[in-house]
Amino acid sequence: MVDPNATPESHRDALVCVTGASGYIASETVRQLLERGYRVRGTVRDPKDAAKTEHLRRMASALDASDRLELVAANLMEAGAFDAALAGARFCCHMAASVRLHAKDPQREIVDPAVRGTHNVFDALERAPEIEAVVMTSSIAAVVDEQQPLTHTFTEGDWNDSAEIKRNPYPLAKVLSERAAFERVAHWQGEAAPRFVTIHPVLVLGPLTAKVHRRSSPAVLRDLVRGKFPGLPDLNFGVVDVRDVARAHVNALANPKAEGRYILHHRPVAMREMVETLRPKFPRAPLPKRRLPNFVMYASALFDPRVNFSFLRRNLGVVRKIDNRRVREELGLEFLPIEQTLADTAQSFYDLGLA
């Protein structure tokens, strides 16, 4: 049986273009690609911005792979910006994205950039004849339709068809950009299109590698560790480790049969479990101790921009069913223990001076 975590000999020293390489998930993906023998050309806004790129260079140096990492400038919103980055590449991990949940003009600031950015990258991909496979980072937000009953089990066949611009523009942006990507692949001009895979993680936790990642998805855990929650709301999150998400990207490149959508979801984790797991390991952390009643959460929505009535109504006390069989069976993913994910995430806050 072929090891899904092994790099095919024919892939050794193959060039992978990683868009948005300095991002939280992308940084770990770059690390694993280098570790498994690939060459990486990562796109960033400014390769000279040490605050956002130095961690990638340190990572490559630690792996004795500095000669296999190249960082180049590319703007997701600029037509033609990815042509040079994709020149000579055999594979692409398209991971660049704008992560904004709210905006004054969500159509112009969230949805339009997501779709236009996808088209800009796929325009360049069509002009890159050596590309064999493309793995695109999407989100569970493109899969889970909160209008479905709680008895429904979500699979890769589900789409978030109820997403709308006023209520939840970020899921809408993810749906439209992913659909645009699938349409582009379906109508590829010239020779056969490359294999195309989309990865759909739930809440991604796991160790941060740079301070610049402090506003990424682990921010909710950082707020817990820093005592920003006066109590524990009745919220549950589907959780997956960033190292598993990165591994899924790399395994999808390595597996010639991988195609289509893959959900990345380990299991649901309540905020209370997060705290109970971390308290013995970080006894000095000002972790909340008491449950926060739902009515208090609704009251806080009047003052806290991070939450709103619609979000609370859809999520307080809710645990959704999500099927993760496909990524386990086809990409050979074995999830890291949740306890390790939580502890390593919290430890990284202290190591980086963020807690």
Side-chain angles (χ1 to χ4, degrees):
M1 183 177 178
V2 177
D3 181 359
N5 298 298
T7 305
E9 194 58 39
S10 61
H11 286 203
R12 293 283 176 181
D13 218 32
L15 178 60
V16 183
C17 175
V18 178
T19 69
S22 61
Y24 172 53
I25 300 173
S27 293
E28 175 62 21
T29 303
V30 168
R31 187 188 69 79
Q32 292 191 24
L33 285 166
L34 294 174
E35 195 173 50
R36 288 169 61 168
Y38 291 92
R39 290 184 293 131
V40 175
R41 181 182 293 143
T43 74
V44 294
R45 289 188 178 182
D46 181 4
K48 296 179 181 179
D49 187 345
K52 296 183 179 179
T53 61
E54 188 57 33
H55 68 282
L56 293 171
R57 295 188 175 92
R58 287 198 306 268
M59 188 184 297
S61 178
L63 293 169
D64 195 23
S66 295
D67 60 332
R68 289 189 283 114
L69 174 66
E70 178 187 5
L71 299 180
V72 299
N75 187 330
L76 193 61
M77 296 299 104
E78 183 181 331
F82 291 87
D83 287 5
L86 285 163
R90 282 179 59 187
F91 305 102
C92 175
C93 286
H94 174 35
M95 310 185 76
S98 174
V99 183
R100 296 189 64 183
L101 303 182
H102 307 287
K104 289 184 178 180
D105 186 344
Q107 183 68 47
R108 183 177 63 83
E109 299 177 59
I110 297 177
V111 176
D112 289 346
V115 177
R116 185 165 68 249
T118 296
H119 282 298
N120 285 340
V121 171
F122 275 78
D123 285 345
L125 284 167
E126 283 204 44
R127 295 189 287 266
E130 296 179 31
I131 290 291
E132 298 175 15
V134 179
V135 180
M136 176 176 168
T137 313
S138 185
S139 168
I140 196 65
V143 174
V144 172
D145 184 339
E146 294 174 344
Q147 302 301 313
Q148 290 280 6
L150 294 180
T151 54
H152 182 75
T153 299
F154 291 96
T155 70
E156 284 81 1
D158 286 291
W159 287 82
N160 186 353
D161 292 322
S162 71
E164 58 185 28
I165 192 70
K166 290 183 179 180
R167 186 167 61 89
N168 42 13
Y170 174 74
L172 179 63
K174 286 300 183 183
V175 168
L176 295 180
S177 59
E178 186 188 357
R179 287 194 185 279
F182 273 112
E183 288 172 6
R184 292 297 298 268
V185 172
H187 295 92
W188 207 272
Q189 298 298 315
E191 297 181 2
R195 282 191 301 112
F196 181 52
V197 171
T198 57
I199 302 293
H200 297 262
V202 290
L203 178 69
V204 183
L205 301 178
L208 281 66
T209 52
K211 286 186 177 181
V212 71
H213 299 150
R214 65 187 178 275
R215 293 188 180 91
S216 55
S217 51
V220 64
L221 196 66
R222 181 177 175 231
D223 284 348
L224 274 177
V225 170
R226 297 173 70 205
K228 297 296 184 180
F229 283 87
L232 288 166
D234 186 15
L235 289 172
N236 299 270
F237 299 94
V239 170
V240 65
D241 194 294
V242 66
R243 292 162 289 193
D244 290 332
V245 180
R247 192 172 299 112
H249 282 75
V250 184
N251 286 7
L253 289 182
N255 184 348
K257 295 182 180 180
E259 204 156 9
R261 308 171 94 203
Y262 291 89
I263 288 174
L264 270 290
H265 172 264
H266 186 173
R267 65 173 174 84
V269 182
M271 292 190 77
R272 177 173 293 280
E273 180 183 351
M274 293 181 182
V275 167
E276 290 175 350
T277 300
L278 293 177
R279 198 184 307 282
K281 297 177 174 62
F282 303 92
R284 295 186 179 180
L287 295 162
K289 297 180 179 179
R290 298 180 180 179
R291 179 179 173 275
L292 204 59
N294 288 355
F295 76 87
V296 175
M297 288 299 297
Y298 282 110
S300 70
L302 297 171
F303 311 101
D304 191 338
R306 295 173 300 177
V307 296
N308 57 56
F309 289 109
S310 178
F311 170 82
L312 294 174
R313 188 170 54 250
R314 300 191 312 269
N315 291 283
L316 277 175
V318 170
V319 179
R320 291 186 175 83
K321 299 177 181 179
I322 300 175
D323 188 340
N324 65 10
R325 282 179 296 177
R326 188 165 193 244
V327 76
R328 289 188 288 108
E329 293 173 358
E330 296 186 19
L331 298 187
L333 204 67
E334 295 181 4
F335 294 99
L336 291 168
I338 289 292
E339 296 76 14
Q340 178 182 349
T341 297
L342 295 171
D344 289 353
T345 309
Q347 186 60 54
S348 73
F349 298 148
Y350 290 101
D351 293 343
L352 291 169
L354 297 174

